[in-house]
């Protein structure tokens, strides 16, 4: 006989809860089946554990005394005790209803007061983040042309301005890894070939903007950043000023970029004057737990006096002045920490009136659809903007060519030529590490650990900003494209090997150049 | 044999009626002798407290819930119909009070922050493993509807019928739940197989 026994019967058999017929059946099956016996032994063990593991609760000597005292209590008092909470709650509700009837704005007033208190809290002790002496000409130049300003002197965080396809302006606070190229200002000045007097004038111009930018971004010890909407206008003013200066100082430049320099100097002067004259009395406050726009007047004169006093004190009392200043400035740096719970805003941005917030582990973007950028009389501002954009398009009309790497050199080098239709041609030698090992290693393993930012930005970066000018790409597509790219690189490598054999021992010469035109 | 009237109880064999058995005490209570309630309390309080402890698993709540049980019994004893044993009814009231409390605790816990430092289920790195403690914790991990019948059987020695009457379900359900509780416990104790064999 090999009938199956319901395991529940075994458990009941162990508890002595079976009828005599069932007991007989189970015992018969147990005699045939070792596995059944094993199962029974397991259940028995479990039962033993249960029986021996539960401690008994200690006796309560006063239990009966308490119980009978409660039973002896008068019923009336018991009823009162029972109904007091309900009565109390009802009275409170009625009181609140009467209060709201007589004073309908009561709750709104409380909220407004709390909002003001919170806003007041975050507005305390605001100081400029960007000290004029810390902002270099390079920083001002990059701000003008790349919309980036460093938020600390170690350049570990940046504020990036921009506007999307819909015309919404935004600013982002980014971690390092997205920085603008280095030495842009230096190369620009070299191109202009300024005299020493002109160089001084230019430095002075940049210095004046550095001082003006001081009051555009304020911070305090509560991890608050306050950004003036005028910052957008300042950028435009700096661009206009720099280009006007360039036109004045270098006819060669002016001739090289005729489209760009249709801007007349008086117009630029007007723009700059109006931007600088505008009072900074409204700021966007960016705090650890909230974002709001509010009025705030920063007393620059008082701040400058305070800074002068502190610097004098440091000069008088301490040695190693430069180090001390640096330490003091570093202490003013705001480390913006984003609440990790906001990461969910990556997929579903928080929309609050005219502000959209997108959060990633590397940066935070705030889109302001209806920012109140102060009105300035800029009759030609739009056309100036259009001219700059047109010039940018002109830049794309150049061709880039590169030669194959020289066989003799240990590290492969690409010879890079930058040619235009006019006078200039630049040659760069760029050392390039072995392509195949990088690509094969990196894309085979898809190891993102070497990049200065975290994995989620790589995979989901392009999906973040739905209405952005950056193109969107599905992560799966991205991966497939990477695979295709890897296969193409394999083919490219094979072709390179064939080519090397065909060319023989000769080094790479003109006839072996390959060009890629963009 | 006692000359007093015999009374059949639910069990097959007849018992000689003692003057102080539960039914007699209840009858005298109904007739006005409230002092008999003290005897009932004294007789059954430890069992009630043990059942509460096994069900709720919180020693600090045992006496409060037990008080509530006996107050309810006191208020409703006059309506006792003598159709089942007093203990069946008493334990049923006890289990229901425990469930009410656990429901209130569940609602209250919605508004209370979750405790971050829960004890780890398995402390394999601990050198001196306390097996009864492990078994106890595993038992309390079982859901209440499985744990209660298991403990009423293995600790209090209730029959399946008594358990079914107490928790108001069928005997088959009790059988199934006790088996599932033991299977659940077996799975929870699997990581400690070696230690438990010793």
């Amino acid at each position: 006989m090999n009938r199956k026994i319901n395991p529940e019967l075994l458990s009941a058999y162990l508890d002595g809860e079976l009828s005599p017929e069932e007991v007989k059946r189970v015992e018969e099956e147990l005699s045939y089946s070792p596995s059944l016996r094993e199962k029974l032994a397991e259940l028995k063990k479990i039962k033993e554990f249960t029986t021996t593991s539960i401690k008994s609760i200690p006796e309560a000597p006063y239990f009966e005394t308490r119980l009978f005292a409660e039973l002896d209590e008068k019923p009336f008092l018991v009823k009162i005790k029972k109904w007091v909470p309900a009565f109390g709650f009802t009275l409170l509700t009625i009181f609140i209803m009467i209060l709201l009837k007589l004073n309908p704005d009561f709750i709104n007033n409380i909220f407004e007061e709390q909002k003001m208190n919170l806003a007041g809290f975050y507005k305390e002790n605001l100081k400029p983040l960007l000290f004029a002496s810390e902002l270099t000409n390079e920083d001002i130049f990059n701000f003008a042309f790349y919309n980036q300003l460093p938020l600390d002197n170690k350049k570990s965080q940046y504020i990036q301005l921009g506007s999307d396809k819909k015309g919404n302006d935004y600013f982002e606070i980014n971690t390092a890894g997205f920085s603008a190229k280095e030495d842009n200002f230096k190369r620009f000045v070299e191109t202009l070939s300024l005299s020493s007097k002109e160089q001084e004038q230019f430095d002075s111009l940049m210095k004046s903007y550095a001082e003006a930018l001081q009051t555009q971004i304020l911070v305090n010890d509560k991890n608050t950043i306050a950004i003036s909407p005028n910052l957008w206008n300042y950028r435009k003013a700096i661009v206009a000023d720099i280009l006007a200066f360039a036109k004045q100082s270098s006819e060669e430049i002016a001739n090289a970029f005729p489209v760009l320099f249709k801007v007349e100097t008086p117009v630029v002067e007007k723009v700059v004057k109006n931007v600088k004259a505008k009072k900074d009395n409204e700021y966007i406050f960016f705090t650890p737990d909230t974002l709001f726009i509010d009025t705030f007047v920063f007393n620059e004169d008082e701040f400058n006096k305070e800074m002068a006093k502190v610097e004098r004190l440091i000069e008088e009392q301490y040695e190693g002045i430069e180090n001390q200043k640096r330490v003091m400035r570093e202490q003013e740096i705001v480390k913006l920490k984003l609440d990790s719970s906001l990461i969910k805003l990556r997929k579903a941005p928080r929309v609050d009136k005219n502000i959209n917030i997108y959060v990633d582990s590397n940066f935070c973007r705030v889109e302001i659809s209806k920012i109140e950028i102060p009105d300035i009389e800029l009759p030609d501002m739009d056309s100036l903007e259009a001219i700059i954009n047109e010039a940018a398009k002109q830049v794309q009309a150049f061709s880039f060519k590169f030669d194959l790497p020289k066989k003799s050199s240990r590290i492969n080098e690409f010879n890079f030529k930058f040619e235009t239709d006019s006078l200039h041609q630049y040659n760069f030698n760029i050392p390039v590490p072995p392509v195949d090992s990088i690509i094969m290693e990196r894309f085979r393993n898809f190891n993102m650990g070497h990049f200065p930012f975290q994995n989620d930005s790589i995979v989901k970066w392009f999906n973040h900003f739905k209405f952005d000018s950056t193109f969107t790409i599905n992560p799966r597509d991205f991966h497939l494209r990477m695979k295709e790219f890897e296969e193409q690189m394999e083919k490219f490598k094979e072709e390179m090997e064939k080519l090397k054999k065909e060319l023989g021992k000769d080094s790479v010469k003109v006839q072996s150049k390959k060009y890629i035109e963009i | 044999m006692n000359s007093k009237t015999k009374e059949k109880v639910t069990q097959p064999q007849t018992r000689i009626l003692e003057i102080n058995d539960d039914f007699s005490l209840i009858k005298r209570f109904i007739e006005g002798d409230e002092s008999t309630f003290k005897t009932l309390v004294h007789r059954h309080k430890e069992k009630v407290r043990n059942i509460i402890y096994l069900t709720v698993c919180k020693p600090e709540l045992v006496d409060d819930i037990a008080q509530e049980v006996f107050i309810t019994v006191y208020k409703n004893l006059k309506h006792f119909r003598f159709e089942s044993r007093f203990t069946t009814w008493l334990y049923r009231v006890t289990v229901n009070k425990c469930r009410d409390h656990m429901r209130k605790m569940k609602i209250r816990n919605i508004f209370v922050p979750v405790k971050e430092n829960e004890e780890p289920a398995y402390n394999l790195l601990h050198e001196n493993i306390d097996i009864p403690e492990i078994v106890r914790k595993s038992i309390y991990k079982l859901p209440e509807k499985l744990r209660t019948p298991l403990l009423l059987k293995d600790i209090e020695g209730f029959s399946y019928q008594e358990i079914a009457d107490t928790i108001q379900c069928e005997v088959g359900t009790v059988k199934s739940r006790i088996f599932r509780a033991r299977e659940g416990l077996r799975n929870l104790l699997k990581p400690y197989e070696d230690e438990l064999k010793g």
Side-chain angles (χ1 to χ4, degrees):
Chain A
M1 262 193 275
N2 195 11
R3 286 172 302 178
K4 268 200 169 178
I5 290 276
N6 186 346
E8 287 178 15
L9 273 182
L10 274 185
S11 176
Y13 170 77
L14 189 64
D15 290 334
E17 293 281 346
L18 294 183
S19 63
E21 296 82 23
E22 284 171 326
V23 168
K24 193 179 170 188
R25 190 176 140 224
V26 167
E27 282 175 352
E28 208 176 302
E29 284 303 317
L30 280 170
S31 63
Y32 292 126
S33 171
S35 60
L36 214 58
R37 287 198 294 274
E38 203 182 307
K39 183 76 185 166
L40 181 66
E42 262 181 24
L43 287 171
K44 197 175 174 187
K45 193 95 183 168
I46 296 288
K47 183 168 174 152
E48 272 170 31
F49 285 141
T50 312
T51 315
T52 53
S53 65
I54 303 289
K55 293 179 202 167
S56 56
I57 191 168
E59 281 190 28
Y62 301 106
F63 175 80
E64 288 180 51
T65 312
R66 271 182 56 205
L67 172 66
F68 296 125
E70 197 163 329
L71 287 173
D72 287 339
E73 215 175 328
K74 288 186 184 156
F76 175 69
L77 284 173
V78 170
K79 274 191 183 164
I80 294 280
K81 267 193 201 171
K82 194 176 163 189
W83 288 104
V84 156
F87 278 138
F89 186 71
T90 311
L91 279 173
L92 183 66
T93 311
I94 293 168
F95 173 72
I96 291 172
M97 282 167 67
I98 293 169
L99 185 67
L100 289 175
K101 183 84 181 164
L102 296 173
N103 187 2
D105 291 328
F106 178 69
I107 291 182
N108 282 339
N109 289 343
I110 291 175
F111 282 134
E112 286 303 312
E113 204 179 302
Q114 290 309 316
K115 255 203 258 179
M116 278 170 57
N117 288 344
L118 192 65
F121 173 75
Y122 283 120
K123 283 197 243 179
E124 282 173 0
N125 298 327
L126 282 168
K127 289 172 200 162
L129 174 68
L130 307 165
F131 293 107
S133 55
E134 298 291 327
L135 279 175
T136 61
N137 291 346
E138 184 73 32
D139 293 333
I140 307 285
F141 189 88
N142 285 337
F143 175 58
F145 290 99
Y146 296 97
N147 300 325
Q148 268 186 11
L149 259 184
L151 290 178
D152 58 25
N153 56 7
K154 286 181 189 162
K155 300 192 195 320
S156 62
Q157 279 186 331
Y158 285 86
I159 184 166
Q160 174 92 37
L161 304 186
S163 62
D164 61 15
K165 276 183 189 169
K166 276 184 150 185
N168 290 333
D169 290 307
Y170 67 80
F171 69 85
E172 276 177 13
I173 297 172
N174 287 330
T175 53
F178 295 88
S179 58
K181 300 179 183 106
E182 299 290 329
D183 296 336
N184 299 311
F185 175 74
K186 192 178 160 190
R187 282 189 270 131
F188 182 76
V189 164
E190 277 168 7
T191 311
L192 293 178
S193 309
L194 298 173
S195 66
S196 56
K197 191 182 173 192
E198 282 170 335
Q199 179 77 53
E200 258 180 55
Q201 280 175 342
F202 199 35
D203 285 342
S204 163
L205 174 72
M206 301 305 262
K207 176 97 181 145
S208 71
Y209 277 112
E211 283 169 4
L213 285 177
Q214 260 193 157
T215 57
Q216 298 304 298
I217 303 179
L218 307 174
V219 293
N220 65 10
D221 51 351
K222 294 167 186 88
N223 212 16
T224 305
I225 293 182
I227 298 172
S228 166
N230 214 15
L231 192 63
W232 277 263
N233 285 333
Y234 264 107
R235 190 193 70 79
K236 292 173 185 172
I238 295 170
V239 170
D241 231 337
I242 289 175
L243 293 177
F245 186 89
K247 181 189 169 189
Q248 262 181 306
S249 59
S250 172
E251 282 302 315
E252 203 180 318
I253 293 290
N255 290 335
F257 299 96
V259 173
L260 189 60
F261 288 103
K262 275 181 186 164
V263 175
E264 297 303 323
T265 309
V267 169
V268 170
E269 280 177 1
K270 192 176 180 184
V271 161
V272 168
K273 187 180 161 194
N274 283 344
V275 168
K276 284 187 175 175
K278 195 71 193 172
K279 293 266 179 238
D280 297 317
N281 59 0
E282 197 172 72
Y283 285 81
I284 304 163
F285 289 86
F286 195 79
T287 74
D289 52 20
T290 187
L291 188 78
F292 60 95
I293 298 174
D294 204 357
T295 52
F296 179 75
V297 178
F298 177 69
N299 193 334
E300 197 176 348
D301 292 334
E302 203 182 298
F303 175 74
N304 285 335
K305 280 183 199 162
E306 215 180 286
M307 281 305 296
K309 218 193 308 182
V310 167
E311 287 190 10
R312 244 191 339 265
L313 199 69
I314 290 168
E315 278 170 14
E316 282 168 17
Q317 292 189 5
Y318 293 97
E319 291 176 0
I321 293 159
E322 290 304 309
N323 284 337
Q324 290 297 329
K325 271 191 203 171
R326 205 167 294 125
V327 164
M328 199 186 79
R329 297 273 154 77
E330 277 175 12
Q331 283 164 1
E332 297 294 337
I333 288 161
V334 171
K335 297 277 180 231
L336 190 71
K337 286 176 188 166
L338 298 173
D339 185 351
S340 59
S341 68
L342 292 177
I343 293 293
K344 62 180 175 286
L345 289 177
R346 182 191 299 147
K347 287 184 185 164
R350 182 178 294 159
V351 176
D352 180 20
K353 293 180 188 176
N354 43 1
I355 295 172
N356 295 347
I357 307 169
Y358 297 81
V359 178
D360 187 81
S361 49
N362 292 300
F363 61 85
C364 172
R365 175 189 285 205
V366 177
E367 274 186 14
I368 305 134
S369 54
K370 291 177 193 170
I371 188 170
E372 295 291 335
I373 293 180
D375 287 336
I376 297 172
E377 277 213 23
L378 301 169
D380 297 313
M381 203 64 193
D382 288 340
S383 56
L384 179 66
E385 186 99 33
I387 289 161
I388 292 169
N389 288 339
E390 193 57 39
K393 283 182 196 165
Q394 295 282 343
V395 172
Q396 291 176 15
F398 300 118
S399 66
F400 300 80
K401 299 170 191 176
F402 61 89
D403 300 337
L404 286 175
K406 289 177 185 166
K407 203 179 176 185
S408 56
S409 64
R410 217 170 135 225
I411 297 170
N412 292 334
E413 275 188 346
F414 282 116
N415 190 318
F416 180 86
K417 282 184 191 170
F418 174 82
E419 293 177 352
T420 72
D421 294 331
S422 61
L423 305 171
H424 293 86
Q425 181 177 347
Y426 298 94
N427 280 313
F428 303 96
N429 284 326
I430 301 165
V432 178
V435 170
D436 53 357
S437 61
I438 286 184
I439 289 179
M440 294 313 150
E441 187 197 331
R442 295 276 173 96
F443 290 108
R444 184 169 290 139
N445 299 326
F446 213 67
N447 181 8
M448 289 299 157
H450 295 284
F451 289 91
F453 37 76
Q454 295 180 27
N455 295 353
D456 54 0
S457 287
I458 292 294
V459 179
K460 290 172 186 164
W461 166 262
F462 296 111
N463 265 338
H464 285 163
F465 305 108
K466 290 180 185 174
F467 303 112
D468 202 338
S469 53
T470 53
F471 62 92
T472 55
I473 183 169
N474 189 302
R476 193 166 167 274
D477 285 347
F478 180 71
H479 188 63
L480 286 170
R481 284 193 199 187
M482 282 293 118
K483 268 198 113 178
E484 277 175 26
F485 180 68
E486 194 184 317
E487 283 162 19
Q488 281 170 8
M489 286 308 301
E490 283 276 1
K491 282 184 192 165
F492 177 71
K493 193 184 170 189
E494 281 166 29
E495 280 171 25
M496 292 288 290
E497 293 296 320
K498 276 185 200 168
L499 199 61
K500 277 180 194 172
K501 283 179 191 166
E502 277 171 29
L503 292 173
K505 290 182 185 175
D506 291 334
S507 58
V508 174
K509 292 206 173 168
V510 173
Q511 58 268 21
S512 66
K513 281 182 192 170
K514 279 199 173 182
Y515 294 94
I516 296 173
E517 291 200 6
I518 299 168
Chain B
M1 220 155 151
N2 197 311
S3 57
K4 298 265 174 180
T5 317
K6 280 186 215 173
E7 200 170 298
K8 280 219 165 143
V9 292
T10 52
Q11 287 175 356
Q13 59 268 34
T14 49
R15 265 192 328 147
I16 296 170
L17 186 69
E18 288 179 6
I19 196 160
N20 280 338
D21 82 330
D22 290 344
F23 276 15
S24 307
L25 290 172
I26 294 169
K27 274 189 184 146
R28 278 156 60 188
F29 177 84
I30 292 170
E31 284 161 10
D33 182 7
E34 292 202 349
S35 64
T36 54
F37 186 72
K38 286 186 184 174
T39 314
L40 280 171
V41 170
H42 189 77
R43 187 178 288 173
H44 297 289
K45 74 167 189 219
E46 289 312 321
K47 200 74 161 189
V48 164
R49 290 176 79 248
N50 280 338
I51 292 171
I52 295 169
Y53 178 56
L54 293 173
T55 311
V56 171
C57 318
K58 288 189 192 306
E60 64 271 17
L61 292 179
V62 167
D63 284 342
D64 291 338
I65 299 174
Q67 295 267 332
E68 284 180 31
V69 167
F70 283 112
I71 289 171
T72 303
V73 165
Y74 176 83
K75 285 179 183 167
N76 294 290
L77 199 53
K78 289 192 169 129
H79 309 292
F80 185 71
R81 284 180 281 185
F82 301 94
E83 286 168 359
S84 61
R85 291 199 299 177
F86 169 69
T87 46
T88 306
W89 177 57
L90 176 65
Y91 301 152
R92 197 183 304 152
V93 170
T94 306
V95 167
N96 286 339
K97 286 284 176 195
C98 292
R99 284 177 178 165
D100 290 344
H101 258 269
M102 290 197 293
R103 237 191 321 269
K104 279 184 207 165
M105 294 302 297
K106 217 175 172 179
I107 292 168
R108 237 176 258 167
N109 280 340
I110 293 170
F111 300 102
V112 163
V114 172
K115 282 179 197 167
E116 286 186 7
N117 299 323
E118 269 200 25
E119 284 184 47
Y122 306 114
N123 198 355
L124 295 169
L125 298 174
H126 206 280
E127 281 182 8
N128 302 320
I129 292 173
D130 183 7
I131 291 170
E133 178 71 17
I134 291 164
V135 172
R136 215 172 11 254
K137 283 186 178 168
S138 304
I139 290 170
Y140 293 141
K141 280 187 190 307
L142 296 171
E144 184 272 328
K145 70 174 190 180
L146 299 185
R147 185 178 68 238
T148 303
L150 176 75
L151 295 178
L152 287 178
K153 179 69 207 161
D154 289 350
I155 308 293
E156 295 298 321
F158 282 26
S159 68
Y160 280 15
Q161 186 61 58
E162 284 171 332
I163 296 171
D165 291 338
T166 303
I167 64 175
Q168 292 176 287
C169 64
E170 299 297 321
V171 169
T173 308
V174 171
K175 194 193 295 183
S176 169
R177 286 186 186 174
I178 289 177
F179 171 71
R180 279 163 57 200
R182 286 175 179 154
E183 282 293 291
L185 200 53
R186 187 174 68 85
N187 289 332
L188 286 168
L189 294 175
K190 246 190 186 147
Y192 293 96
E193 223 170 319
D194 293 334
E195 286 85 359
L196 291 169
K197 271 180 192 162

